[in-house]
Amino acid sequence: MALYHVLMDNQHLHHSPMSGATWPGVAWGAHLERQLQQFKAIYLMNQEKLDYSLQVLKKQDEENTIMRSQQRRKLNRLHSLLNNLKTKLANQEKQFREENQSLAADCKRIMGQCKEAQRSMRHFAVSDAEKFTEVWLMNEEEAKGLMRKALEADRIIHAQQLGLPWEEPNYWFLHNVGPLKHYKAKRMATKLAAEVMTDKLTKSQLVSQGLQGGFQVTRE
């Protein structure tokens, strides 16, 4: 606008109202008028550019505002998620510590029970072994008595009924005291029992035949 006023003042100076004639600067005034119009056009064009740039900047500012709002909401959600994860982690760690303490206590208790069970097993094993030995000795003595009676009957049959010499067999079982210690000894005991039963059956048959023939069994 200041440029416009300068040009208008120059145009006024080149026109003389006193003489009624046109000064030589009229052409210069026309030239200035054209420049003024060009400046106006440039001004309007720049004004439009500035208005467009302003609208673009406003649009970008609105978009940036929306984006900042979205980013702020997203950041708030992430903070909330982080806090939830921290809380969950703290709860999990607390639960794991409690479970670890509980499992450690259970392990200690079970180990104590296991040791107590082992002590009880050793105690009952000793007690059962003593009872087994006691029952074994009682049954062994009874079996030895029955075997001695069978041997005595066998001796009488040989001496009185058959008139044959009799020699007492050397059965190791009669000299054994206490439970058998090895499986081999158990097999020998089983075999011995079978032999004794077979021998007793044979002697019983002989006695039966002797009684039928008129023989009598007497003790010496």
Side-chain angles (χ1 to χ4, degrees):
M1 294 299 294
L3 178 61
Y4 173 76
H5 288 297
V6 171
L7 293 175
M8 292 301 295
D9 290 341
N10 291 331
Q11 185 178 6
H12 178 72
L13 291 174
H14 288 86
H15 289 82
S16 175
M18 296 178 61
S19 60
T22 302
W23 289 82
V26 172
W28 174 250
H31 175 70
L32 292 177
E33 182 68 24
R34 287 194 299 272
Q35 287 185 346
L36 177 61
Q37 296 300 324
Q38 291 177 356
F39 288 149
K40 286 182 178 181
I42 293 172
Y43 170 78
L44 292 175
M45 183 176 63
N46 290 334
Q47 184 69 30
E48 291 178 356
K49 289 182 179 180
L50 291 174
D51 291 339
Y52 177 76
S53 298
L54 180 61
Q55 295 298 325
V56 171
L57 291 175
K58 287 183 178 180
K59 184 66 175 179
Q60 290 180 352
D61 184 65
E62 292 177 357
E63 292 177 354
N64 291 333
T65 302
I66 295 173
M67 185 175 295
R68 283 195 300 270
S69 177
Q70 292 176 350
Q71 293 295 329
R72 191 178 297 110
R73 287 194 297 269
K74 184 177 180 180
L75 184 61
N76 291 333
R77 287 196 302 270
L78 291 176
H79 277 300
S80 178
L81 179 61
L82 179 61
N83 292 330
N84 292 334
L85 290 176
K86 287 181 178 179
T87 303
K88 186 176 181 180
L89 177 61
N91 293 333
Q92 289 290 337
E93 289 178 347
K94 181 180 178 181
Q95 181 180 356
F96 289 156
R97 284 195 300 269
E98 293 176 352
E99 290 180 355
N100 188 25
Q101 293 176 357
S102 177
L103 291 175
D106 291 341
C107 182
K108 184 177 180 180
R109 177 176 55 81
I110 292 173
M111 289 180 64
Q113 292 177 352
C114 182
K115 291 181 180 179
E116 183 64 26
Q118 290 177 350
R119 286 194 294 268
S120 299
M121 288 174 61
R122 286 193 293 268
H123 171 73
F124 286 118
V126 173
S127 177
D128 291 343
E130 292 176 353
K131 291 181 181 179
F132 176 77
T133 302
E134 181 181 355
V135 174
W136 177 279
L137 292 174
M138 182 177 64
N139 292 330
E140 185 181 53
E141 189 63 29
E142 182 179 357
K144 288 179 180 179
L146 294 174
M147 193 168 184
R148 291 190 182 96
K149 289 181 180 180
L151 292 174
E152 180 65 17
D154 184 61
R155 186 188 66 79
I156 293 173
I157 291 172
H158 276 75
Q160 296 184 5
Q161 303 297 331
L162 301 178
L164 297 175
W166 182 83
E167 182 179 356
E168 182 178 359
N170 185 19
Y171 292 127
W172 64 268
F173 177 75
L174 295 174
H175 306 288
N176 181 74
V177 178
L180 303 177
K181 300 299 182 182
H182 302 288
Y183 177 72
K184 183 177 180 180
K186 293 182 180 180
R187 291 187 61 188
M188 291 176 62
T190 304
K191 183 178 180 181
L192 174 62
E195 292 176 354
V196 171
M197 293 300 296
T198 303
D199 190 47
K200 287 177 65 177
L201 180 60
T202 303
K203 297 301 187 296
S204 298
Q205 292 175 353
L206 291 174
V207 171
S208 177
Q209 292 176 0
L211 291 175
Q212 291 177 0
F215 296 106
Q216 294 181 352
V217 178
T218 59
R219 291 183 178 273
E220 293 183 353

